[in-house]
């Protein structure tokens, strides 16, 4: 079957990413995408294998966008300044693109994961941690700690978890980042 004029894999993936931001990542399917473009699902098969393929490609796009933003935010920064800039990339991206942020958490098969920008995220996190003089295995523990805190806080905030009480969520976010910085500076040496 010949590809439908005007449809490209990139255009479909970007439309799927926008759909994820508007309706939620779980709502993204080939059927929904076909309805958006007013085509039959079969018209999409020359570009995408399945809804799983579409979701994987949206996840890869999201990880790439996050990594690009992270690299820009980290340029010329170190220590607490780098930590806060990197954390804010995740929080800001999740606020601007909630569906894409959810896609960035999508479980990828090992081959897709290896080809993704996920490795760049880990490299940037480790670059930040070099400023805290951590050795292994503490550095790996710290990478996981930061990822857990950034994702956990952001996910709870997006779900409205901090909107019903004082202090303001931004005040708590700043407090959390200050405490992470202090923890990493005083992390016990082996």
């Amino acid at each position: 079957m010949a590809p439908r004029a005007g449809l490209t894999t990139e255009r479909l993936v970007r439309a799927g990413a926008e759909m994820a931001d508007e309706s939620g990542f779980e709502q993204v399917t080939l059927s929904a995408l076909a309805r958006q473009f007013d085509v039959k699902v079969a018209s999409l098969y020359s570009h995408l294998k399945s809804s799983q393929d579409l979701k994987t490609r949206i996840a890869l796009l999201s990880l790439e966008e996050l990594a690009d933003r992270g690299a820009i935010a980290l340029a010329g920064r170190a220590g607490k300044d780098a930590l806060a800039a990197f954390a804010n990339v995740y929080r800001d991206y999740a606020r601007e693109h909630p569906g894409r942020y959810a896609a960035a958490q999508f479980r990828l098969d090992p081959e897709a994961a290896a080809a993704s920008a996920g490795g760049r995220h880990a490299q940037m996190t480790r670059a930040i941690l070099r400023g805290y003089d951590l050795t292994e295995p503490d550095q790996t523990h710290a990478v996981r700690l930061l990822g857990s805190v950034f994702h956990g806080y952001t996910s709870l905030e997006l779900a409205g978890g901090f909107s019903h009480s004082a202090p303001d969520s931004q005040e708590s976010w700043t407090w959390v980042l200050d405490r992470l910085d202090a923890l990493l500076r005083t992390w016990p040496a082996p």
Side-chain angles (χ1 to χ4, degrees), residues 39-54:
V39 299
K40 295 187 183 303
V41 172
S43 300
L44 303 182
Y45 286 127
S46 56
H47 304 286
L48 299 162
K49 297 175 194 166
S50 63
S51 291
Q52 177 80 9
D53 182 35
L54 173 61

Side-chain angles (χ1 to χ4, degrees), residues 30-180:
L30 284 184
S31 297
L33 198 57
R35 281 191 300 277
Q36 182 175 328
F37 283 95
D38 196 28
V39 299
K40 295 187 183 303
V41 172
S43 300
L44 303 182
Y45 286 127
S46 56
H47 304 286
L48 299 162
K49 297 175 194 166
S50 63
S51 291
Q52 177 80 9
D53 182 35
L54 173 61
K55 287 186 172 186
T56 296
R57 289 172 185 266
I58 294 168
L60 294 172
L61 171 69
S62 302
L63 288 168
E64 190 72 34
E65 289 175 345
L66 266 168
D68 290 346
R69 286 183 180 205
I72 291 166
L74 288 177
R77 295 191 161 134
K80 182 180 174 187
D81 189 35
L83 176 70
F86 195 62
N88 285 326
V89 163
Y90 281 85
R91 186 173 180 228
D92 293 346
Y93 188 80
R95 289 169 156 184
E96 293 168 30
H97 300 290
R100 292 179 198 201
Y101 183 75
Q105 314 311 313
F106 187 64
R107 186 180 195 108
L108 299 172
D109 66 54
E111 188 177 313
S116 78
R120 287 177 57 204
H121 293 261
Q123 289 171 347
M124 287 185 280
T125 306
R126 288 183 183 279
I128 292 166
L129 292 172
R130 278 195 291 277
Y132 292 99
D133 206 24
L134 299 177
T135 59
E136 286 299 343
D138 288 341
Q139 190 178 86
T140 297
H141 296 317
V143 167
R144 293 173 180 169
L145 171 68
L146 294 180
S148 298
V149 171
F150 300 164
H151 177 65
Y153 193 97
T154 299
S155 296
L156 288 168
E157 185 177 47
L158 283 176
F162 306 134
S163 62
H164 306 303
S165 63
D168 177 76
S169 183
Q170 179 60 44
E171 184 179 337
S172 292
W173 178 247
T174 301
W175 185 91
V176 165
L177 295 179
D178 288 345
R179 294 318 170 270
L180 280 174

